[in-house]
Amino acid sequence: MTSPTPSSADEVVDLCRDLIRIDTTNTGDNATSAGERVAAEYVAEKLAEVGVDAELRESAPGRTSLVARIPGTDPSRGALLVHGHLDVVPADPQEWSVDPFGGEIRDGYLWGRGAVDMKDFDAMVLAVVRDWQRTGVRPPRDLVLAFTADEEAGGDYGAHFLVDNHADLLEGCTEAVGEVGGFSFTVSEDLRLYLVQTAEKGIQWLRATAHGRPGHGSMIHDDNAVTALAEAVARVGRHRFPIVLTDTAAAFLAEVSELLGIEFDPADPEATISKLGPIAGFVGATVRNTANPTRLDAGYKENVVPSQAHATLDCRTLPGQSEAFLKEIRDLLGPDIDIAHIQRQPAVETTFDGPLVAAMSAALLAEDPGAKAVPYMLSGGTDAKAWQRLGIRCFGFAPLRLPPDLNFAGLFHGIDERVPVEGLRFGARVLDRFLRTS
Ligand SMILES: [Zn+2]
């Protein structure tokens, strides 16, 4: 006698809960990060149980990523990369209503760090593949599964490490799906927009340095590096970069305006964005470059004027805007401030068309007759930046049906991160349909 095999929608909640219970906190510092090894070994074991071999690769002790390949029926087609990161940002238990690593189910939600970013999608992928392996389903093309380390700190120990050192594992991949997209925004009872990510902004983390004449803090001092830096940083922090409508943002706003029945003024896209309720947070920063001062560092003693002062600026650039942005920030900071890149990664952008996009739309519609897929740009960055280096066309499509009033954007890296249990099960069903037809 055999016990009934669970479907992917049955199993996805347990898998996600197990993954949440494995603390994979990434502080951005290997010395204090929990590492992804235990989670990667868990995923490897769940794949091995159904006959899928996985390759584990470690960039530093404990910083483990996993890659596995499921052969498709048509080897002549390019492979589809399905990727999710295993790490999570830190969570302070003092601030939470539940244990952030407890995986508690309460009020129809599965709670915990990583519930939406992005152990939910990791669990969906695992659930679908396990179900297929048990029931003999083969995908139309090779699927390459990547579960990565270090996405939350830029991916140097995860996706970029794989691209730099183990690109053979990703051979033949032409398209990719991962975060952040595929979630719903309810317009009305019978219309839900599902935002598919087709672009993401570039990252420029800058270190700005002011120089001055060092000296005693008790004297009159008109060449103080701290003063110069503070003035420059304040100019950057208060500056609003001009609106630049990229193809993706224009397509998104035009489509959404029409569906919502609101006027779209290309000269004032923020008026449209302000009407988008819970998803405004996702799209608000996608019509201009941004630069936010995030760190300050100067001095070593109360009565010593230092010779240097430093600031870190987290800057995000629209596709095609990288050089124009740099010119503008140099002008803002002024000629006496030096800048150096701590991190520089280009924006990612593709078009919203082709068979893969059609498969996304069809899979959503089959599970939600009120679904309408629309393209959008993410203001943050993901592992797509690494895959893009291999010429892979990247989409954010981690399907989730959300309750109308949920502040989804606020859950990312937020306190009391949680995912609706029914949304998770919905996601597994959509992913199953999508991957069968991709
Ligand atoms: Zn993420």
Side-chain angles (χ1 to χ4, degrees):
M1 235 186 81
T2 54
S3 54
T5 42
S7 75
S8 52
D10 290 332
E11 217 186 20
V12 67
V13 180
D14 288 343
L15 292 166
C16 189
R17 167 185 246 188
D18 286 355
L19 284 167
I20 287 171
R21 287 177 174 168
I22 303 170
D23 181 353
T24 52
T25 296
N26 184 356
T27 60
D29 176 359
N30 284 351
T32 51
S33 291
E36 297 81 3
R37 183 188 292 164
V38 177
E41 284 171 352
Y42 170 86
V43 172
E45 182 191 310
K46 290 291 158 186
L47 291 173
E49 276 175 14
V50 294
V52 176
D53 291 333
E55 304 284 339
L56 297 179
R57 293 290 183 271
E58 213 160 73
S59 54
R63 306 308 305 271
T64 315
S65 297
L66 175 151
V67 182
R69 189 176 287 255
I70 317 281
T73 51
D74 182 357
S76 73
R77 292 184 59 199
L80 177 66
L81 175 63
V82 183
H83 62 99
H85 60 84
L86 294 170
D87 60 324
V88 295
V89 294
D92 179 359
Q94 306 285 327
E95 297 177 326
W96 283 55
S97 320
V98 297
D99 173 1
F101 301 102
E104 199 172 312
I105 294 176
R106 187 197 285 186
D107 306 328
Y109 287 84
L110 171 57
W111 299 61
R113 179 56 87 219
V116 296
D117 186 13
M118 61 174 300
K119 289 175 170 173
D120 55 340
F121 187 66
D122 295 336
M124 288 178 209
V125 174
L126 265 185
V128 169
V129 166
R130 282 166 60 84
D131 181 48
W132 286 9
Q133 290 291 116
R134 284 189 294 245
T135 55
V137 177
R138 282 186 69 191
R141 60 203 278 204
D142 277 14
L143 293 184
V144 174
L145 314 181
F147 295 85
T148 58
D150 200 38
E151 191 277 341
E152 295 294 0
D156 285 347
Y157 290 94
H160 287 285
F161 164 77
L162 289 177
V163 168
D164 287 334
N165 301 284
H166 302 288
D168 53 308
L169 296 175
L170 305 162
E171 201 184 318
C173 290
T174 54
E175 293 171 306
V177 293
E179 61 176 353
V180 175
F183 51 88
S184 67
F185 165 56
T186 303
V187 175
S188 63
E189 184 69 13
D190 46 14
L191 177 61
R192 270 162 299 282
L193 306 184
Y194 285 80
L195 276 64
V196 176
Q197 187 201 314
T198 55
E200 62 185 47
K201 290 175 88 174
I203 298 175
Q204 297 198 34
W205 289 344
L206 299 177
R207 182 166 160 94
T209 301
H211 304 271
R213 184 164 41 81
H216 199 289
S218 67
M219 314 251 178
I220 290 178
H221 207 98
D222 55 10
D223 184 19
N224 183 320
V226 177
T227 308
L229 185 85
E231 286 174 345
V233 164
R235 284 196 297 277
V236 170
R238 296 214 176 85
H239 183 68
R240 283 281 216 148
F241 288 81
I243 285 172
V244 178
L245 266 194
T246 58
D247 292 349
T248 302
F252 171 79
L253 291 168
E255 182 117 44
V256 166
S257 306
E258 194 186 316
L259 292 165
L260 296 179
I262 54 181
E263 192 76 35
F264 171 47
D265 175 3
D268 187 13
E270 283 165 329
T272 305
I273 291 169
S274 69
K275 299 193 176 89
L276 298 180
I279 57 167
F282 273 112
V283 294
T286 62
V287 294
R288 39 173 115 236
N289 300 322
T290 58
N292 277 309
T294 50
R295 303 182 77 162
L296 289 170
D297 173 26
Y300 51 90
K301 195 168 187 306
E302 287 73 7
N303 57 356
V304 178
V305 176
S307 61
Q308 292 190 0
H310 309 279
T312 304
L313 309 173
D314 180 358
C315 311
R316 309 296 177 123
T317 56
L318 296 166
Q321 281 288 303
S322 169
E323 291 307 318
F325 166 81
L326 269 180
K327 188 185 175 307
E328 195 165 352
I329 197 100
R330 276 187 210 281
D331 288 349
L332 270 172
L333 286 166
D336 298 332
I337 308 282
D338 293 340
I339 58 172
H341 279 96
I342 299 168
Q343 177 74 262
R344 184 172 192 176
Q345 295 185 23
V348 175
E349 189 170 36
T350 187
T351 49
F352 189 62
D353 54 14
L356 198 69
V357 167
M360 291 175 197
S361 292
L364 286 167
L365 267 176
E367 293 293 335
D368 178 0
K372 166 84 180 145
V374 294
Y376 93 106
M377 182 189 308
L378 180 71
S379 59
T382 73
D383 280 343
K385 294 220 178 346
W387 317 133
Q388 177 178 250
R389 292 167 52 208
L390 296 172
I392 297 172
R393 187 181 180 211
C394 297
F395 294 91
F397 185 66
L400 263 188
R401 181 168 170 172
L402 301 170
D405 50 353
L406 182 69
N407 178 10
F408 186 57
L411 294 178
F412 278 72
H413 301 188
I415 294 163
D416 286 343
E417 181 176 349
R418 60 198 183 277
V419 65
V421 169
E422 280 315 308
L424 195 54
R425 295 163 61 91
F426 169 89
R429 293 194 300 270
V430 173
L431 187 67
D432 187 312
R433 287 179 186 274
F434 164 66
L435 292 178
R436 278 174 200 253
T437 52
S438 63

